[in-house]
Amino acid sequence: MVETADVPLQGGSKNNKNCSPDVSIIIVNYNTRKLTLDCLASVYDSLTSFHYELIVVDNASRDGSVEAIRDEYPDVRLIANRDNTGFAVANNQGMKIAKGRYILLLNSDTVVQPDTLEIMLGFMDRHPEMGASGCKVILPDGSLDKACKRGFPTPAASFYYAFGFSRLFPDRPKFNQYQLGHLSPDNEYPIDCLVGAFILVRREVIEQVGGLDETFFMYGEDVDWCYRIKEAGWGIYYYPRTYIVHYKGASARRKPMKIIYEFHRAMWVFHRKHYAKNYGIFTNTAVWLGISLKFSLSLIRNKLVRSKPQKEFSSGRAADRKTSSEVNT
């Protein structure tokens, strides 16, 4: 069940109730009040000629997120779910009420730059053949979030990635099909897959291929969406002329069992949906065994990691959650 507060847009010229929005920005929140408020603040600080609307979907947070968002940003269109519906379902809820020519999925644990909307929307307007695009995504330490430009996780690409061939041969395209490490993150080019932390999608694309597949709870939905977008004949483009900062979860922290399960379940769901029919029983069995082994090792490693207190950056942003996905089959 959901409770929806649909507040008329107001404020500055970029978020004007008298103008149809160019882009609907959808942010899913789950117990990340401070992160989400920082993310919203960064959007409101944007310097852009485009009009936008902000839609926040809260998945039954218990940290006062809903009250804080209503209090600090009353013009945000807010959907307050009574249950944690998952990342895919929540984004689809936002898309159903979105009015923009474009839909931007934006993680709650991200901060956009003042020029991000202007540059990315301008790019999409100039390239109508592109169904989706993404900018550079960096981590708080300045390094690249490698998930922002990827190839699809075919069995071969996943094998080379999982067994370290991509690290041994960083300049060989054959062994870098998944994370595309042989391509400079400072150059622009068409790719297969973007990361759910920032995906800008044309409305016509969503009308054609649909929203996120709700079979995925919180991992894999971005890879699946990009796969369907490309199958429908649209281009997907990596455009690093601007960037966002992604305060994603620290990998060393102990994770709940559900997080580990959903991460590995997404790998098999994606393979079964898109690749299993193209391979024989030997390959499909090998993929299933590989995922099962990785899942078992992850459980063991997780039990060995002592829980650590949540880390806070100097800005007050916490690195405690990862809602988008990397799927390695």
Side-chain angles (χ1 to χ4, degrees):
M1 297 179 63
V2 301
E3 171 194 351
T4 304
D6 191 349
V7 182
L9 300 176
Q10 54 189 339
S13 60
K14 314 305 183 298
N15 206 11
N16 195 317
K17 63 181 179 180
N18 296 319
C19 300
S20 297
D22 294 297
V23 60
S24 299
I25 303 170
I26 302 173
I27 300 170
V28 176
N29 175 77
Y30 177 64
N31 291 324
T32 54
R33 180 182 62 175
K34 176 59 178 174
L35 288 165
T36 301
L37 292 175
D38 286 342
C39 180
L40 290 169
S42 74
V43 173
Y44 278 106
D45 287 340
S46 295
L47 304 176
T48 177
S49 59
F50 293 98
H51 299 277
Y52 59 81
E53 66 173 346
L54 278 158
I55 299 170
V56 174
V57 184
D58 183 83
N59 269 335
S61 295
R62 299 179 302 277
D63 64 349
S65 291
V66 170
E67 294 78 11
I69 293 167
R70 282 177 174 159
D71 182 52
E72 296 192 33
Y73 298 104
D75 54 323
V76 167
R77 303 178 68 188
L78 181 64
I79 296 176
N81 288 331
R82 302 186 191 281
D83 302 295
N84 184 359
T85 62
F87 189 72
V89 171
N91 273 295
N92 286 345
Q93 288 177 268
M95 289 184 219
K96 287 178 181 177
I97 67 169
K99 301 175 182 177
R101 298 186 293 119
Y102 298 102
I103 304 296
L104 172 60
L105 302 193
L106 185 66
N107 262 27
S108 65
D109 56 353
T110 62
V111 171
V112 303
Q113 300 308 297
D115 64 0
T116 299
L117 295 181
E118 184 71 17
I119 289 176
M120 296 307 300
L121 290 166
F123 169 79
M124 291 294 282
D125 274 354
R126 295 192 303 272
H127 296 275
E129 75 280 7
M130 292 298 164
S133 66
C135 62
K136 180 188 286 188
V137 181
I138 65 172
L139 302 175
D141 63 3
S143 63
L144 182 73
D145 183 349
K146 296 179 181 179
C148 69
K149 59 176 189 69
R150 291 174 286 175
F152 291 127
T154 63
S158 300
F159 176 82
Y160 294 137
Y161 174 75
F163 287 92
F165 287 91
S166 58
R167 292 187 295 274
L168 289 173
F169 306 101
D171 299 324
R172 298 280 297 275
K174 177 181 178 180
F175 299 120
N176 288 270
Q177 299 172 35
Y178 178 58
Q179 287 193 334
L180 307 179
H182 60 293
L183 299 177
S184 171
D186 297 321
N187 295 336
E188 60 184 75
Y189 33 76
I191 59 173
D192 287 336
C193 186
L194 302 162
V195 66
F198 185 102
I199 300 183
L200 181 60
V201 183
R202 199 176 299 276
R203 175 172 288 278
E204 296 95 313
V205 170
I206 299 173
E207 292 172 350
Q208 182 177 353
V209 308
L212 299 178
D213 184 344
E214 297 180 4
T215 306
F216 300 92
F217 183 78
M218 64 180 296
Y219 294 103
E221 65 289 309
D222 49 3
V223 184
D224 172 78
W225 209 24
C226 289
Y227 191 94
R228 289 186 282 128
I229 290 171
K230 291 205 74 173
E231 268 199 328
W234 293 93
I236 296 178
Y237 209 80
Y238 172 68
Y239 196 65
R241 303 308 170 207
T242 184
Y243 70 93
I244 65 168
V245 181
H246 188 192
Y247 294 87
K248 65 194 296 184
S251 61
R253 291 198 61 205
R254 190 171 183 178
K255 300 179 177 64
M257 170 67 179
K258 183 172 179 58
I259 298 295
I260 299 174
Y261 170 74
E262 290 295 343
F263 181 82
H264 292 85
R265 184 181 76 90
M267 298 180 190
W268 178 246
V269 170
F270 182 85
H271 177 82
R272 184 182 61 193
K273 179 177 180 179
H274 296 296
Y275 292 137
K277 61 182 178 293
N278 299 323
Y279 293 91
I281 188 171
F282 175 80
T283 299
N284 288 328
T285 301
V287 169
W288 185 85
L289 290 174
I291 294 172
S292 300
L293 175 61
K294 190 175 183 300
F295 175 58
S296 300
L297 293 175
S298 295
L299 288 177
I300 294 171
R301 183 167 57 249
N302 193 58
K303 289 183 179 181
L304 297 176
V305 175
R306 296 178 61 183
S307 297
K308 297 181 180 180
Q310 178 173 299
K311 295 181 179 180
E312 294 284 344
F313 297 103
S314 59
S315 63
R317 301 181 180 98
D320 68 336
R321 178 169 164 265
K322 180 180 179 183
T323 54
S324 53
S325 65
E326 285 190 60
V327 178
N328 310 315
T329 53

